[in-house]
């Protein structure tokens, strides 16, 4: 019962948020920021916002910093106007019209993102980019009514992410970065151990020479105090 109540409240909040065009534009970024914060990502450390790309001149909303100097881009701007009209439609015919237009809007958004050249610099960019859908309900709606939208996006190396799937993607990115740092740290530790081993061998050899000199001095002192 509590779960259904929360779901009802969430749906009502979604309608209220989507009712304002200005709020819709800010909502996607706010949702993305919430997911990034939950994933433990810090701006300037794990990602950059609206950084201009040198090659294409494009400005993705987010650029994630990956190991080996690579990056992965994400846009959060998503067409929701016709989805709102679909929710508010009074009859089935009007609802179908807005549904079809919304799905066309999504396809156009994917096509637009494909043409922006975010993947042109293959030496610095991973071979995919992300398009954030800021709500699980909207994401499920696209899957339910036209699964081919997601398949076509994947063929263009665009991954559509809901908040939950974005969190999963970021968890993989975080693990890759942590593993890379551990690998680099391990290499440094091994290098230091190798240097320590070399210096220890030199120390032992020098200590043996000092010990031999002490032994020789001891013998000469003993001879001086007895024989002489």
């Amino acid at each position: 019962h509590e779960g259904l109540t929360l779901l009802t409240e969430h749906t009502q909040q979604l309608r209220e948020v989507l009712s304002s065009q200005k709020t819709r534009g800010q909502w996607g970024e706010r949702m993305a920021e919430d997911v990034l914060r939950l994933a433990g990502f810090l701006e300037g450390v794990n990602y950059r916002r609206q950084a201009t790309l040198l090659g294409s001149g494009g400005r993705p909303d987010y650029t994630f910093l990956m190991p080996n100097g690579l990056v992965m881009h994400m846009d959060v701007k998503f067409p929701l106007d016709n989805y709102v009209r679909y929710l508010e439609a009074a009859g089935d015919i009007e609802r179908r019209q807005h549904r079809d237009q919304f799905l066309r809007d999504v396809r156009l958004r994917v096509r637009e993102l494909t043409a922006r050249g975010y993947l042109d610099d293959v030496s610095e960019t991973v071979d995919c980019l992300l398009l954030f859908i800021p709500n699980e309900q909207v994401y499920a709606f696209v899957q339910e009514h036209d699964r081919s939208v997601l398949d076509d996006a994947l063929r263009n190396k665009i991954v559509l992410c809901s908040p939950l799937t974005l969190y999963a993607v970021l968890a993989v990115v975080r693990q890759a970065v942590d593993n890379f740092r551990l690998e680099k740290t391990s290499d440094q530790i091994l290098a230091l151990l190798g240097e320590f081993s070399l210096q220890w061998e030199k120390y032992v050899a020098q200590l043996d020479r000092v010990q031999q000199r002490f032994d020789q001095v001891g013998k000469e002192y003993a001879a001086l105090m007895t024989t002489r």
Side-chain angles (χ1 to χ4, degrees), residues 69-88:
L70 295 175
V71 295
M72 179 174 63
H73 305 301
M74 179 176 77
D75 259 14
V76 301
K77 299 178 184 66
F78 196 77
L80 291 168
D81 291 353
N82 279 295
Y83 182 76
V84 177
R85 297 186 183 105
Y86 167 84
L87 293 178
E88 297 174 344

Side-chain angles (χ1 to χ4, degrees), residues 3 44 76 122 132 135 164 167 170 188 212-213:
V76 301
V122 294
F132 182 57
N135 181 265
L164 287 177
Y167 182 83
L170 296 181
Q188 293 171 354
Q212 290 172 6
R213 291 174 182 172

Side-chain angles (χ1 to χ4, degrees), residues 149-160:
V149 172
L150 281 74
D151 296 334
D152 291 343
L154 283 175
R155 277 192 287 271
N156 287 286
K157 301 178 181 179
I158 297 173
V159 180
L160 273 64

Side-chain angles (χ1 to χ4, degrees), residues 86 95-105 141:
Y86 167 84
R95 191 175 293 112
R96 281 196 299 271
Q97 289 174 344
H98 292 311
R99 179 201 63 190
D100 294 343
Q101 185 57 54
F102 168 67
L103 295 173
R104 281 194 292 270
D105 290 343
F141 183 89

Side-chain angles (χ1 to χ4, degrees), residues 36-50:
L36 290 172
R37 185 170 58 254
L38 287 173
F41 276 49
L42 298 175
E43 185 175 359
V45 178
N46 306 108
Y47 69 92
R48 297 190 296 263
R49 292 191 61 183
Q50 297 186 338

Side-chain angles (χ1 to χ4, degrees), residues 13-226:
Q13 291 170 1
L14 174 63
R15 288 174 180 266
E16 292 173 359
V17 167
L18 295 180
S19 63
S20 166
Q21 187 171 1
K22 181 179 178 181
T23 304
R24 288 199 296 271
Q26 299 171 343
W27 183 50
E29 292 189 6
R30 187 165 65 248
M31 285 295 299
E33 291 289 343
D34 288 344
V35 177
L36 290 172
R37 185 170 58 254
L38 287 173
F41 276 49
L42 298 175
E43 185 175 359
V45 178
N46 306 108
Y47 69 92
R48 297 190 296 263
R49 292 191 61 183
Q50 297 186 338
T52 302
L53 307 182
L54 296 178
S56 64
R59 295 186 66 190
D61 293 320
Y62 293 87
T63 297
F64 299 107
L65 309 179
M66 307 282 286
N68 292 324
L70 295 175
V71 295
M72 179 174 63
H73 305 301
M74 179 176 77
D75 259 14
V76 301
K77 299 178 184 66
F78 196 77
L80 291 168
D81 291 353
N82 279 295
Y83 182 76
V84 177
R85 297 186 183 105
Y86 167 84
L87 293 178
E88 297 174 344
D92 291 342
I93 296 177
E94 185 182 358
R95 191 175 293 112
R96 281 196 299 271
Q97 289 174 344
H98 292 311
R99 179 201 63 190
D100 294 343
Q101 185 57 54
F102 168 67
L103 295 173
R104 281 194 292 270
D105 290 343
V106 177
R107 288 186 177 277
L108 288 174
R109 183 72 183 95
V110 170
R111 195 175 306 159
E112 175 193 354
L113 196 56
T114 303
R116 288 195 173 184
Y118 290 168
L119 300 178
D120 287 352
D121 193 348
V122 294
S123 64
E124 295 185 359
T125 307
V126 297
D127 198 25
C128 70
L129 58 93
L130 309 179
L131 176 56
F132 182 57
I133 302 176
N135 181 265
E136 297 296 330
Q137 182 177 332
V138 179
Y139 182 78
F141 183 89
V142 175
Q143 281 193 317
E144 178 183 355
H145 291 277
D146 193 349
R147 172 69 195 184
S148 65
V149 172
L150 281 74
D151 296 334
D152 291 343
L154 283 175
R155 277 192 287 271
N156 287 286
K157 301 178 181 179
I158 297 173
V159 180
L160 273 64
C161 292
S162 69
L164 287 177
T165 53
L166 176 61
Y167 182 83
V169 169
L170 296 181
V172 173
V173 171
R174 185 68 180 269
Q175 187 65 43
V177 172
D178 290 344
N179 288 344
F180 177 73
R181 288 175 179 166
L182 178 60
E183 181 181 346
K184 288 186 64 177
T185 304
S186 300
D187 291 342
Q188 293 171 354
I189 292 173
L190 289 174
L192 290 173
L193 286 175
E195 182 63 24
F196 173 79
S197 178
L198 177 61
Q199 295 300 327
W200 178 259
E201 290 176 1
K202 292 181 178 180
Y203 169 78
V204 171
Q206 187 70 24
L207 186 63
D208 287 342
R209 286 194 291 272
V210 171
Q211 183 64 46
Q212 290 172 6
R213 291 174 182 172
F214 271 120
D215 292 343
Q216 185 63 33
V217 170
K219 291 177 182 178
E220 293 179 358
Y221 179 78
L224 178 64
M225 297 303 295
T226 56

